Every structure is written in structure tokens, then in C-alpha cells.
Amino acid sequence: MKDPATQVSRRGLMKNLIATDRPKRYAMVIDTRRCIGCQACTVACKSENDVPLGESRSWVETIEKGNFPDVGRSFLPRLCNQCEKPGCVSVCPTGATYTRKEDGVVAINKEICIGCKYCILACPYGVRYLDPKTGSVDKCDFCLHRIEKGVVPACVNTCQGAARIFGDINDPSSAAAKMLETNSVSVLRHEMGTEPMVFYIGADHSDERYAERTGVYVRVETHRRQQKRV
Amino acid sequence: MLEIHWGLPVIIYLFLGGLGAGAGVVSASVFLRSHAGDASEGAFDIARWGALIAPIPVIAGTGALVFELGSFAVGDMFRWINLFLTINLSPMSLGSWFLALFIGVSLCYAYTFLKSDAHSGDKHQAFRKMLAWVMVPLGIGVALYTGILLGAMPARPFWNSPILAMLFLISALSTGVASILLVRCVAHALGHKKADEYTGEGAQGTEESKYILAATDMLLISFEVLVVFLFIMYAHLTIGGVENAIDVILGGSLTSLFWFGFVVIGLIIPILIEMKYVLPRLLRQEHYSIPHAVELAACMLVIVGGFMLRYVVVIAGQLTGPVGI
Ligand code: SF4
Ligand code: SF4
Ligand code: SF4
């Protein structure tokens, strides 16, 4: 996607010298206009990946706003953003958390992970958890076991409204690449500089601070154990 | 966010690791400064106590750390070895290596002082001197990295400040000094070589070195006050996540613990006590003497303050996170 000739920063130069070009770059585009908040992805993800009780790799937040009769309600599916500059990878002392060279997915080697929880603190999106069975940290890995076999992730497969679009954006003919080319998209907390690879169409970014600023009533429901948005 | 992932074991480690590293650095610096203990018997005694203290809290703190590991909790006792099968730029990786080196070197350094008749002319002197040179950078490394560890995460606005590591370093040195004075005071009270048993020059030297330590501590605490001021002022002048995070100590759930537990108990009271005894000597060359009980109390307050600092910072960083979505 990136044209190396447009990268003029020194850091970019170093990066090009060190990193080999990725043959693939998996990404997800979430079209919130098509999401009805049914939580089918939440459930599919939990059962597909045997996620322990009380934890979640993916969840769908509800944002309610406005005062009757001028009200709105929208949904925000959440998962690991498979960041280009992941805070979790740079702090991992054992190398258990790493970015896959072949497709950019941020994965965890559970045999190596010692469960120090440094990465849980370093992720600005609160998507990591400690698996009480293995003592290692876990999170969404774009369903590696599925995509390596050429099958789409469980949440994408189950989404009734086709709100989740998954694909290799290095391939211009992929659905995900086309969505990125033809829509205005946003990412979550872009100011953190993590360069997420999960993009949203029509996401409602309002929260309590927005409510304070505008006087509009806003209520966010996370539908996960952590009742405050993290 | 808002969940405490790093609890008491990490707090205890950051505190004890800092204290031990500080004691090691102070011991080695006092030792080297007094021409390897030749210049004054008192300085040698201080270096000796510092050397004997240093490894103990660091090892205890590191031991506490494993209780925070998820792998340990599921009964995998030794998966932490993975830390030492690799080295990367993660502050925890570099820190673990520094820590392991520090523990090794500080144990050897303590060994050279172990005998109760250790003195500057004995057979370990050359080895001791060599180790002292290594202790200083290693100890500073260990004390600094405890702050870098927390500061390395933009996702944690309360911690993500370059001055946090400085604050931890100064606090480590100051609690290190306090622990040496404290242990020495207690050991002497328990009947080890009494300060006044030194004859002539020796007694003078002891008072002199106690004065140097107290004056150093006074200076360290005043720097600490400055760094705390800068930390808060810059956070307050920022907008967004950092400003939001600092609220937790400027009118949030940790405000009283921070201001009373750390600033008043750990900084203001001890520095006032030390000023009362150090300034007459510093400004008017009067004789320095401080009652045992007062010295003990000041040292304990500094140590309690050091713990409170780690406690408040570790918890505050986890209670706050990025704002917006
Ligand atoms: S969202 Fe969090 S866990 Fe996922 S890659 Fe980014 S920093 Fe890492
Ligand atoms: S918990 Fe595991 S994956 Fe996370 S930083 Fe520690 S070793 Fe790395
Ligand atoms: S890609 Fe897989 S692991 Fe990630 S949210 Fe979807 S189902 Fe869960």
C-alpha cells in the first residue's frame, strides 16, 4: 500500500532497510452502519477461540445518545487493532508477542509468554487478558488458525449484516482494500500513534467528554466485564 | 485500564529494588570517595553497611515479582527463565539483565565486607575496589529502569513522563541513604562497634561521615521535591490524557495518599528534620550531632515515603488511561 518513495523520514528509511516487505497485510474494515448490535460475533469469537469466562477477544459496544425525541443509537464492535506500531510488542521482554512478518498480524507465542502482563498495560485499547488456564496473555489474532487455511475469521463469517469485512489490503482486488479506497474511514484513538489496521466506517466516537462538551446525553454500554470503556 | 494488573508484588519490587540499588550506589560512592576507605574509618563503616544491605532488598523484591507472573500462578514455576533466553529493547528485558548482574555483583561486593574485621588494608581490598566501580553504574541502571519500565507506555499517560525515571532514581538513592543510616543506627544500638568506641580520629570520622550522609539525603530530598513539582506542573499544563490522569492525585481517589503519605511524610518532615541538624554545620561549621531517636525517625519516614511513592504511582497509572475513543 505504501509507496516507499514517499517516505522521507529517517525512521522510514531505517524501517525500509531492516524490515522486509510484507507479502500480505491483513486488515479489517467494520461498517458500523450495517451492524445491528446482535453480538453474534462476540459469541462466535468466544466459542471459536475458547475464551475464558469473564474475558473477551471481541465485544460490541452500544452508544446511546440524545434527548427524546431526538435520539440515536449505534454500535461499535471492538477487537485487537493489529496495530502497525503496537505498544504491546515493543514492551514484551520475552519476544512472545510479535508481529508476523508474512502478514502483519500481532500474535502471541503462548509457550514463551511468562504472563508478566506488561503488554496488557501497554495496549491503549484494553484488548488483552490473562488466560487463567495457560497463565499466558491472549487476545484476538484475526483467527490465525482459520485465515492460514484461507477461511475468514469466525466473527466475519458469522456477521449477519456483513458489517465486518476482512482481507489482505496489499491485494487491491480484495474487498477490504476496495472498502478502504471508496469510503471515509476512521480508527480508534488514532492520537495514540499505534496505526491500527482495524478501520471503521461511520463509527460514533462520542463518549463522556463529548457529552460534557456538547450537553448531549451519551450512554456507552460495553457489554463486557469491564463496564467502563477501556 | 481501570483494572489493577500490577499489584502489591510489583509495588514492593519497585520499592525494594530501588532501595537496594540506592544503598549499593551510596556504599560504593562513599567507599570510592574516601580513597577506598583509607581516608576515614567512618566512611569505610558506611560503605560496609551499605554493601551488606544492598543485595537483600533487591533479592527479596525480585522474589516478590514472580508472584505477579501469570505463568507462576498456574504452577509453571520456571517459565520466567524465558526472560533470560533472549534480550531485546523492552525495558523489562534490559532491566532483568541489569538486575541479574546487579544481584551477582552486589553479592560479591557484600562478601568482601562480610568479616566483622574487614578493613581497608585486608586481602579483599583490590577486588572490593574493582567491584565498587561496577556497583555505581549498575545500581543507577537498576534504580533508573524501575521508572523507565513504567514510563515506556504511551497508553498510560500518568506514567508516560521522562521525569518519572529521574524521580524513582532520586527516591532510590534517598531511601538507600536512609536505610544505611537506619541499619547502622540499629546495629550500633544492638551492641556492634559503637560510634563512640572509635578512638580519636575514628570518632570524628564517624560523625563526619554521618554528616555527609545526612547532608546528601537533604540534597536528594530537595531535588526530589523539585522533580515532583516538575512532574505535576507539566502534567497539569498538558491537555488530554495526561491532564486527565494527573487529576487522580490533584483531586481524585489518590490525592490524600499522595500528598500526605508521600509528600508530607516522606519529603517535607524528613527534610525539615535534616535541615535542623545539617544546616548549622553547613552554614556555620558547628559540630554536627543528631540524637539517635530523631535520626531513626527521619530515616523511617524517608523509607515509608519511598514506599508510598511507588504505591501511588503504580496504582494511579492503572486507574487512568487514554481519553476518548
Ligand atoms: S490493539 Fe493492543 S494488543 Fe492489539 S496490536 Fe494494538 S497495541 Fe497490541
Ligand atoms: S505477558 Fe507475555 S506477551 Fe505480554 S509482555 Fe509479558 S511475556 Fe510478553
Ligand atoms: S478475528 Fe477471530 S479472534 Fe479476532 S475478534 Fe474475530 S473471531 Fe475473535
Side-chain angles (χ1 to χ4, degrees):
Chain A
M1 288 296 281
K2 266 185 205 155
D3 177 13
T6 61
Q7 295 201 358
V8 286
S9 74
R10 251 182 308 155
R11 192 184 284 202
L13 183 71
M14 285 303 288
K15 207 170 139 192
N16 287 340
L17 284 177
I18 296 165
T20 50
D21 270 27
R22 294 202 185 95
K24 286 188 169 149
R25 189 41 169 127
Y26 284 130
M28 195 181 286
V29 183
I30 300 181
D31 190 343
T32 62
R33 299 167 305 183
R34 302 181 65 98
C35 176
I36 59 163
C38 69
Q39 306 279 358
C41 51
T42 312
V43 177
C45 177
K46 276 205 84 132
S47 67
E48 176 77 23
N49 298 295
D50 199 13
V51 179
L53 272 182
E55 305 296 349
S56 28
R57 284 181 174 211
S58 177
W59 64 95
V60 182
E61 295 172 353
T62 307
I63 301 125
E64 274 177 9
K65 55 200 259 186
N67 296 309
F68 183 81
D70 306 312
V71 294
R73 189 165 209 249
S74 57
F75 305 101
L76 193 68
R78 299 282 308 271
L79 68 163
C80 165
N81 286 292
Q82 312 295 345
C83 308
E84 204 40 37
K85 302 234 165 75
C88 55
V89 170
S90 54
V91 300
C92 178
T94 59
T97 285
Y98 65 103
T99 304
R100 280 162 52 103
K101 289 212 179 57
E102 53 270 48
D103 51 25
V105 173
V106 176
I108 302 164
N109 185 333
K110 288 198 199 174
E111 256 86 80
I112 295 180
C113 169
I114 58 171
C116 68
K117 299 182 271 190
Y118 202 175
C119 55
I120 299 186
L121 293 171
C123 169
Y125 304 98
V127 303
R128 292 178 159 251
Y129 59 88
L130 189 78
D131 185 334
K133 286 195 294 283
T134 59
S136 304
V137 163
D138 210 349
K139 66 161 187 82
C140 159
D141 56 1
F142 268 174
C143 282
L144 267 183
H145 59 289
R146 292 173 64 104
I147 57 176
E148 279 184 324
K149 296 198 177 72
V151 194
V152 292
C155 57
V156 175
N157 185 51
T158 207
C159 182
Q160 47 66 44
R164 294 188 182 227
I165 298 119
F166 175 83
D168 168 20
I169 53 170
N170 277 2
D171 170 9
S173 68
S174 73
K178 289 204 175 113
M179 291 299 274
L180 286 186
E181 274 164 359
T182 52
N183 287 284
S184 75
V185 293
S186 64
V187 295
L188 301 184
R189 292 188 176 139
H190 77 101
E191 74 283 0
M192 296 305 302
T194 48
E195 304 194 0
M197 278 294 161
V198 172
F199 300 88
Y200 291 84
I201 299 174
D204 188 345
H205 292 268
S206 34
D207 62 352
E208 308 85 38
R209 284 164 76 91
Y210 166 85
E212 255 173 51
R213 183 162 79 242
T214 57
V216 171
Y217 169 82
V218 174
R219 190 171 74 92
V220 175
E221 184 103 47
T222 59
H223 296 116
R224 73 194 293 229
R225 180 169 53 77
Q226 296 88 333
Q227 304 213 329
K228 265 200 85 145
R229 194 186 246 160
V230 292
Chain B
M1 268 114 281
L2 316 170
E3 286 198 335
I4 305 298
H5 294 286
W6 279 355
L8 216 50
V10 172
I11 298 169
I12 289 176
Y13 162 69
L14 293 181
F15 165 66
L16 288 181
L19 183 143
V25 172
V26 172
S27 154
S29 328
V30 168
F31 179 70
L32 293 170
R33 188 188 163 277
S34 65
H35 301 285
D38 283 342
S40 127
E41 210 176 321
F44 188 86
D45 196 43
I46 284 175
R48 174 158 184 266
W49 283 114
L52 294 181
I53 295 169
I56 302 169
V58 178
I59 292 174
T62 312
L65 265 191
V66 299
F67 291 105
E68 196 61 276
L69 293 182
S71 57
F72 194 79
V74 297
D76 201 341
M77 307 285 203
F78 294 106
R79 215 194 295 166
W80 58 265
I81 299 278
N82 286 343
L83 272 176
F84 296 102
L85 299 182
T86 179
I87 183 161
N88 57 36
L89 285 179
S90 156
M92 193 183 284
S93 178
L94 291 175
S96 308
W97 283 101
F98 252 94
L99 194 62
L101 271 176
F102 180 86
I103 289 179
V105 172
S106 66
L107 280 174
C108 297
Y109 182 61
Y111 171 74
T112 65
F113 283 100
L114 202 56
K115 289 224 177 72
S116 56
D117 63 350
H119 55 93
S120 65
D122 63 8
K123 65 176 189 305
H124 291 310
Q125 181 69 0
F127 189 41
R128 190 183 285 146
K129 204 165 157 185
M130 205 180 77
L131 288 172
W133 279 109
V134 187
M135 283 291 284
V136 176
L138 268 186
I140 291 180
V142 167
L144 256 187
Y145 114 83
T146 57
I148 300 177
L149 185 78
L150 301 183
M153 294 175 274
R156 299 286 157 172
F158 191 92
W159 293 339
N160 193 220
S161 157
I163 213 158
L164 187 69
M166 204 62 203
L167 181 57
F168 275 27
L169 172 65
I170 299 177
S171 165
L173 292 174
S174 149
T175 49
V177 170
S179 70
I180 296 179
L181 283 171
L182 185 80
V183 170
R184 215 164 151 253
C185 213
V186 172
H188 286 169
L190 289 180
H192 284 258
K193 221 188 316 187
K194 281 218 170 54
D196 28 304
E197 270 175 25
Y198 289 111
T199 44
E201 236 173 88
Q204 283 264 316
T206 313
E207 285 302 318
E208 179 66 19
S209 49
K210 270 170 79 173
Y211 161 74
I212 298 251
L213 277 197
T216 310
D217 202 38
M218 191 186 87
L219 199 67
L220 284 170
I221 297 182
S222 40
F223 272 121
E224 208 173 333
V225 172
L226 272 180
V227 171
V228 167
F229 168 72
L230 290 176
F231 177 77
I232 294 177
M233 192 191 73
Y234 273 81
H236 185 64
L237 290 176
T238 317
I239 51 171
V242 180
E243 186 205 26
N244 186 57
I246 202 77
D247 272 354
V248 80
I249 58 167
L250 295 181
S253 52
L254 290 168
T255 308
S256 41
L257 206 56
F258 178 80
W259 291 102
F260 189 73
F262 170 55
V263 176
V264 174
I265 293 202
L267 300 178
I268 307 295
I269 300 183
I271 202 177
L272 288 179
I273 295 179
E274 276 162 0
M275 276 161 96
K276 175 169 177 340
Y277 294 95
V278 167
L279 284 187
R281 162 70 213 268
L282 189 69
L283 301 177
R284 296 193 296 273
Q285 270 70 42
E286 282 169 20
H287 178 66
Y288 173 76
S289 84
I290 179 168
H292 269 319
V294 177
E295 192 183 19
L296 266 175
C299 291
M300 273 192 305
L301 290 179
V302 169
I303 291 177
V304 170
F307 179 81
M308 285 299 179
L309 169 67
R310 305 316 194 285
Y311 184 90
V312 171
V313 169
V314 169
I315 301 293
Q318 296 179 79
L319 289 181
T320 52
V323 290
I325 190 68

Short mmCIF file of all heavy atoms in Angstrom, two decimals, chain A residues 28 41-46 48-49 51 56-59 78-80 82 139-147 152-158 164 166, ligand 3:
data_model
loop_
_atom_site.label_atom_id
_atom_site.label_comp_id
_atom_site.label_asym_id
_atom_site.label_seq_id
_atom_site.Cartn_x
_atom_site.Cartn_y
_atom_site.Cartn_z
N MET A 28 -9.06 -5.31 8.82
CA MET A 28 -10.50 -5.46 8.89
C MET A 28 -11.15 -4.10 8.75
O MET A 28 -10.67 -3.12 9.30
CB MET A 28 -10.92 -6.11 10.21
CG MET A 28 -12.37 -6.62 10.17
SD MET A 28 -12.91 -7.35 11.71
CE MET A 28 -12.07 -8.91 11.72
N CYS A 41 -21.03 -11.94 16.67
CA CYS A 41 -19.57 -12.04 16.56
C CYS A 41 -18.94 -12.30 17.92
O CYS A 41 -18.00 -13.08 18.05
CB CYS A 41 -18.99 -10.77 15.95
SG CYS A 41 -19.57 -9.26 16.76
N THR A 42 -19.47 -11.64 18.96
CA THR A 42 -18.96 -11.83 20.31
C THR A 42 -19.03 -13.31 20.69
O THR A 42 -18.06 -13.88 21.20
CB THR A 42 -19.81 -11.01 21.31
OG1 THR A 42 -19.97 -9.69 20.80
CG2 THR A 42 -19.19 -10.97 22.68
N VAL A 43 -20.19 -13.90 20.40
CA VAL A 43 -20.41 -15.29 20.77
C VAL A 43 -19.57 -16.22 19.89
O VAL A 43 -18.91 -17.14 20.39
CB VAL A 43 -21.91 -15.63 20.64
CG1 VAL A 43 -22.14 -17.11 20.94
CG2 VAL A 43 -22.73 -14.76 21.57
N ALA A 44 -19.55 -15.94 18.59
CA ALA A 44 -18.76 -16.78 17.68
C ALA A 44 -17.30 -16.77 18.08
O ALA A 44 -16.63 -17.81 18.10
CB ALA A 44 -18.93 -16.29 16.25
N CYS A 45 -16.80 -15.60 18.42
CA CYS A 45 -15.39 -15.47 18.81
C CYS A 45 -15.12 -16.25 20.08
O CYS A 45 -14.13 -16.96 20.19
CB CYS A 45 -15.03 -14.00 19.00
SG CYS A 45 -13.35 -13.77 19.56
N LYS A 46 -16.02 -16.13 21.05
CA LYS A 46 -15.81 -16.82 22.32
C LYS A 46 -15.75 -18.33 22.12
O LYS A 46 -14.89 -19.01 22.70
CB LYS A 46 -16.93 -16.47 23.32
CG LYS A 46 -16.65 -15.16 24.05
CD LYS A 46 -17.33 -15.08 25.39
CE LYS A 46 -16.52 -15.74 26.44
NZ LYS A 46 -16.32 -14.97 27.67
N GLU A 48 -15.27 -20.02 19.22
CA GLU A 48 -14.20 -20.40 18.29
C GLU A 48 -12.86 -20.49 19.01
O GLU A 48 -12.05 -21.38 18.77
CB GLU A 48 -14.10 -19.38 17.15
CG GLU A 48 -12.97 -19.63 16.18
CD GLU A 48 -13.27 -20.75 15.20
OE1 GLU A 48 -14.46 -21.04 14.99
OE2 GLU A 48 -12.30 -21.34 14.66
N ASN A 49 -12.62 -19.52 19.89
CA ASN A 49 -11.29 -19.43 20.49
C ASN A 49 -11.24 -19.86 21.95
O ASN A 49 -10.25 -19.65 22.63
CB ASN A 49 -10.76 -17.99 20.36
CG ASN A 49 -10.61 -17.59 18.91
OD1 ASN A 49 -9.79 -18.16 18.20
ND2 ASN A 49 -11.41 -16.64 18.45
N VAL A 51 -12.53 -18.72 24.67
CA VAL A 51 -12.15 -17.59 25.52
C VAL A 51 -12.69 -17.81 26.94
O VAL A 51 -13.86 -18.15 27.10
CB VAL A 51 -12.69 -16.27 24.94
CG1 VAL A 51 -12.32 -15.09 25.82
CG2 VAL A 51 -12.18 -16.06 23.53
N SER A 56 -12.93 -11.34 27.00
CA SER A 56 -13.44 -11.31 25.63
C SER A 56 -12.35 -10.83 24.68
O SER A 56 -11.56 -9.96 25.01
CB SER A 56 -14.66 -10.39 25.54
OG SER A 56 -14.60 -9.37 26.51
N ARG A 57 -12.33 -11.48 23.52
CA ARG A 57 -11.43 -11.02 22.47
C ARG A 57 -12.13 -9.98 21.62
O ARG A 57 -11.48 -9.16 20.98
CB ARG A 57 -11.05 -12.19 21.56
CG ARG A 57 -10.04 -13.15 22.14
CD ARG A 57 -9.78 -14.23 21.10
NE ARG A 57 -8.72 -15.12 21.51
CZ ARG A 57 -7.91 -15.73 20.64
NH1 ARG A 57 -8.05 -15.53 19.34
NH2 ARG A 57 -6.97 -16.53 21.06
N SER A 58 -13.43 -10.08 21.59
CA SER A 58 -14.21 -9.15 20.78
C SER A 58 -15.51 -8.87 21.51
O SER A 58 -16.04 -9.75 22.19
CB SER A 58 -14.50 -9.78 19.41
OG SER A 58 -15.31 -8.91 18.65
N TRP A 59 -16.00 -7.66 21.39
CA TRP A 59 -17.26 -7.31 22.02
C TRP A 59 -17.87 -6.17 21.24
O TRP A 59 -17.18 -5.55 20.42
CB TRP A 59 -17.05 -6.94 23.49
CG TRP A 59 -16.21 -5.72 23.73
CD1 TRP A 59 -16.65 -4.43 23.93
CD2 TRP A 59 -14.77 -5.65 23.80
NE1 TRP A 59 -15.58 -3.58 24.12
CE2 TRP A 59 -14.43 -4.29 24.03
CE3 TRP A 59 -13.76 -6.60 23.68
CZ2 TRP A 59 -13.10 -3.86 24.14
CZ3 TRP A 59 -12.43 -6.15 23.79
CH2 TRP A 59 -12.13 -4.81 24.02
N ARG A 78 -15.59 -4.20 18.81
CA ARG A 78 -14.20 -3.98 19.23
C ARG A 78 -13.40 -5.28 19.14
O ARG A 78 -13.93 -6.36 19.40
CB ARG A 78 -14.16 -3.47 20.67
CG ARG A 78 -14.88 -2.14 20.92
CD ARG A 78 -14.05 -0.96 20.46
NE ARG A 78 -12.71 -0.98 21.02
CZ ARG A 78 -12.38 -0.44 22.17
NH1 ARG A 78 -13.29 0.17 22.91
NH2 ARG A 78 -11.15 -0.48 22.62
N LEU A 79 -12.14 -5.14 18.84
CA LEU A 79 -11.21 -6.27 18.81
C LEU A 79 -9.79 -5.69 18.78
O LEU A 79 -9.64 -4.47 18.76
CB LEU A 79 -11.46 -7.17 17.59
CG LEU A 79 -11.15 -6.63 16.19
CD1 LEU A 79 -11.05 -7.76 15.22
CD2 LEU A 79 -12.21 -5.66 15.73
N CYS A 80 -8.81 -6.57 18.80
CA CYS A 80 -7.43 -6.08 18.69
C CYS A 80 -7.26 -5.40 17.35
O CYS A 80 -7.73 -5.89 16.32
CB CYS A 80 -6.45 -7.23 18.82
SG CYS A 80 -4.78 -6.79 18.28
N GLN A 82 -4.56 -4.95 15.65
CA GLN A 82 -3.42 -5.46 14.86
C GLN A 82 -2.55 -4.29 14.40
O GLN A 82 -2.22 -4.15 13.22
CB GLN A 82 -3.91 -6.26 13.65
CG GLN A 82 -4.97 -7.29 13.97
CD GLN A 82 -4.48 -8.41 14.88
OE1 GLN A 82 -3.28 -8.59 15.07
NE2 GLN A 82 -5.41 -9.14 15.47
N LYS A 139 -5.31 -12.64 23.19
CA LYS A 139 -6.11 -11.59 22.55
C LYS A 139 -6.49 -12.06 21.16
O LYS A 139 -6.04 -13.12 20.71
CB LYS A 139 -5.32 -10.30 22.46
CG LYS A 139 -4.13 -10.43 21.53
CD LYS A 139 -3.62 -9.11 21.05
CE LYS A 139 -2.57 -9.31 19.98
NZ LYS A 139 -3.12 -9.55 18.65
N CYS A 140 -7.29 -11.26 20.47
CA CYS A 140 -7.66 -11.56 19.09
C CYS A 140 -6.41 -11.66 18.22
O CYS A 140 -5.53 -10.81 18.28
CB CYS A 140 -8.56 -10.45 18.56
SG CYS A 140 -8.62 -10.34 16.76
N ASP A 141 -6.34 -12.70 17.41
CA ASP A 141 -5.21 -12.83 16.47
C ASP A 141 -5.72 -12.96 15.05
O ASP A 141 -5.09 -13.62 14.22
CB ASP A 141 -4.32 -14.01 16.86
CG ASP A 141 -5.12 -15.31 16.92
OD1 ASP A 141 -6.33 -15.28 16.64
OD2 ASP A 141 -4.53 -16.35 17.25
N PHE A 142 -6.87 -12.33 14.78
CA PHE A 142 -7.51 -12.43 13.46
C PHE A 142 -7.80 -13.90 13.13
O PHE A 142 -7.79 -14.29 11.98
CB PHE A 142 -6.65 -11.80 12.36
CG PHE A 142 -6.95 -10.33 12.09
CD1 PHE A 142 -6.16 -9.58 11.22
CD2 PHE A 142 -8.03 -9.69 12.69
CE1 PHE A 142 -6.43 -8.24 10.96
CE2 PHE A 142 -8.31 -8.35 12.44
CZ PHE A 142 -7.51 -7.63 11.58
N CYS A 143 -8.02 -14.70 14.16
CA CYS A 143 -8.28 -16.14 13.95
C CYS A 143 -7.22 -16.77 13.06
O CYS A 143 -7.53 -17.36 12.02
CB CYS A 143 -9.67 -16.36 13.37
SG CYS A 143 -10.97 -16.23 14.57
N LEU A 144 -5.97 -16.67 13.49
CA LEU A 144 -4.86 -17.18 12.69
C LEU A 144 -5.07 -18.60 12.18
O LEU A 144 -4.77 -18.91 11.02
CB LEU A 144 -3.57 -17.15 13.52
CG LEU A 144 -2.71 -15.90 13.40
CD1 LEU A 144 -1.45 -16.06 14.21
CD2 LEU A 144 -2.37 -15.65 11.93
N HIS A 145 -5.60 -19.44 13.06
CA HIS A 145 -5.77 -20.84 12.67
C HIS A 145 -6.74 -20.96 11.49
O HIS A 145 -6.68 -21.93 10.75
CB HIS A 145 -6.25 -21.67 13.86
CG HIS A 145 -7.56 -21.18 14.44
ND1 HIS A 145 -7.66 -20.01 15.14
CD2 HIS A 145 -8.80 -21.70 14.38
CE1 HIS A 145 -8.92 -19.83 15.51
NE2 HIS A 145 -9.64 -20.84 15.07
N ARG A 146 -7.64 -20.00 11.35
CA ARG A 146 -8.58 -20.04 10.23
C ARG A 146 -7.97 -19.37 8.99
O ARG A 146 -7.98 -19.94 7.90
CB ARG A 146 -9.88 -19.33 10.60
CG ARG A 146 -10.69 -20.08 11.66
CD ARG A 146 -11.88 -19.24 12.09
NE ARG A 146 -12.82 -19.02 11.00
CZ ARG A 146 -13.97 -19.66 10.86
NH1 ARG A 146 -14.35 -20.54 11.77
NH2 ARG A 146 -14.76 -19.41 9.85
N ILE A 147 -7.44 -18.16 9.17
CA ILE A 147 -7.00 -17.43 7.97
C ILE A 147 -5.81 -18.10 7.30
O ILE A 147 -5.63 -17.99 6.10
CB ILE A 147 -6.71 -15.94 8.26
CG1 ILE A 147 -5.66 -15.76 9.34
CG2 ILE A 147 -7.98 -15.22 8.64
CD1 ILE A 147 -5.28 -14.30 9.58
N VAL A 152 -12.23 -17.13 6.41
CA VAL A 152 -12.30 -15.84 7.10
C VAL A 152 -12.45 -16.06 8.60
O VAL A 152 -12.91 -17.12 9.04
CB VAL A 152 -13.46 -14.96 6.58
CG1 VAL A 152 -13.19 -14.52 5.16
CG2 VAL A 152 -14.79 -15.66 6.74
N PRO A 153 -12.10 -15.07 9.43
CA PRO A 153 -12.25 -15.19 10.88
C PRO A 153 -13.69 -15.51 11.28
O PRO A 153 -14.63 -15.18 10.55
CB PRO A 153 -11.83 -13.82 11.40
CG PRO A 153 -10.95 -13.26 10.35
CD PRO A 153 -11.46 -13.79 9.06
N ALA A 154 -13.82 -16.12 12.48
CA ALA A 154 -15.14 -16.56 12.93
C ALA A 154 -16.14 -15.41 13.00
O ALA A 154 -17.30 -15.55 12.60
CB ALA A 154 -15.01 -17.22 14.29
N CYS A 155 -15.69 -14.25 13.50
CA CYS A 155 -16.62 -13.13 13.67
C CYS A 155 -17.10 -12.62 12.31
O CYS A 155 -18.25 -12.22 12.15
CB CYS A 155 -15.96 -12.02 14.47
SG CYS A 155 -14.42 -11.42 13.76
N VAL A 156 -16.20 -12.66 11.34
CA VAL A 156 -16.55 -12.19 9.99
C VAL A 156 -17.54 -13.15 9.36
O VAL A 156 -18.53 -12.77 8.75
CB VAL A 156 -15.28 -12.08 9.12
CG1 VAL A 156 -15.63 -11.70 7.69
CG2 VAL A 156 -14.31 -11.07 9.73
N ASN A 157 -17.25 -14.44 9.56
CA ASN A 157 -18.08 -15.49 9.00
C ASN A 157 -19.52 -15.39 9.52
O ASN A 157 -20.47 -15.61 8.79
CB ASN A 157 -17.47 -16.83 9.37
CG ASN A 157 -18.20 -17.98 8.73
OD1 ASN A 157 -18.42 -17.97 7.53
ND2 ASN A 157 -18.60 -18.95 9.54
N THR A 158 -19.63 -15.05 10.81
CA THR A 158 -20.95 -15.11 11.44
C THR A 158 -21.75 -13.82 11.28
O THR A 158 -22.94 -13.80 11.52
CB THR A 158 -20.78 -15.46 12.94
OG1 THR A 158 -21.96 -16.10 13.38
CG2 THR A 158 -20.56 -14.23 13.76
N ARG A 164 -18.55 -6.76 9.05
CA ARG A 164 -17.10 -6.96 9.20
C ARG A 164 -16.53 -7.46 7.88
O ARG A 164 -16.94 -8.52 7.39
CB ARG A 164 -16.81 -7.97 10.30
CG ARG A 164 -17.19 -7.52 11.70
CD ARG A 164 -16.65 -8.53 12.69
NE ARG A 164 -17.00 -8.22 14.06
CZ ARG A 164 -16.12 -8.24 15.07
NH1 ARG A 164 -14.87 -8.58 14.85
NH2 ARG A 164 -16.50 -7.96 16.30
N PHE A 166 -13.08 -8.53 6.01
CA PHE A 166 -11.71 -8.91 6.30
C PHE A 166 -10.95 -9.17 5.01
O PHE A 166 -11.53 -9.64 4.04
CB PHE A 166 -11.71 -10.18 7.15
CG PHE A 166 -10.35 -10.74 7.42
CD1 PHE A 166 -9.57 -10.23 8.46
CD2 PHE A 166 -9.83 -11.76 6.64
CE1 PHE A 166 -8.30 -10.74 8.70
CE2 PHE A 166 -8.56 -12.27 6.87
CZ PHE A 166 -7.80 -11.75 7.91
S1 SF4 C 3 -10.83 -12.28 14.24
FE1 SF4 C 3 -11.19 -14.15 15.44
S2 SF4 C 3 -10.24 -13.72 17.40
FE2 SF4 C 3 -10.47 -11.74 16.38
S3 SF4 C 3 -12.45 -10.92 17.08
FE3 SF4 C 3 -12.85 -12.06 15.21
S4 SF4 C 3 -13.39 -14.13 15.89
FE4 SF4 C 3 -12.39 -13.10 17.62
#
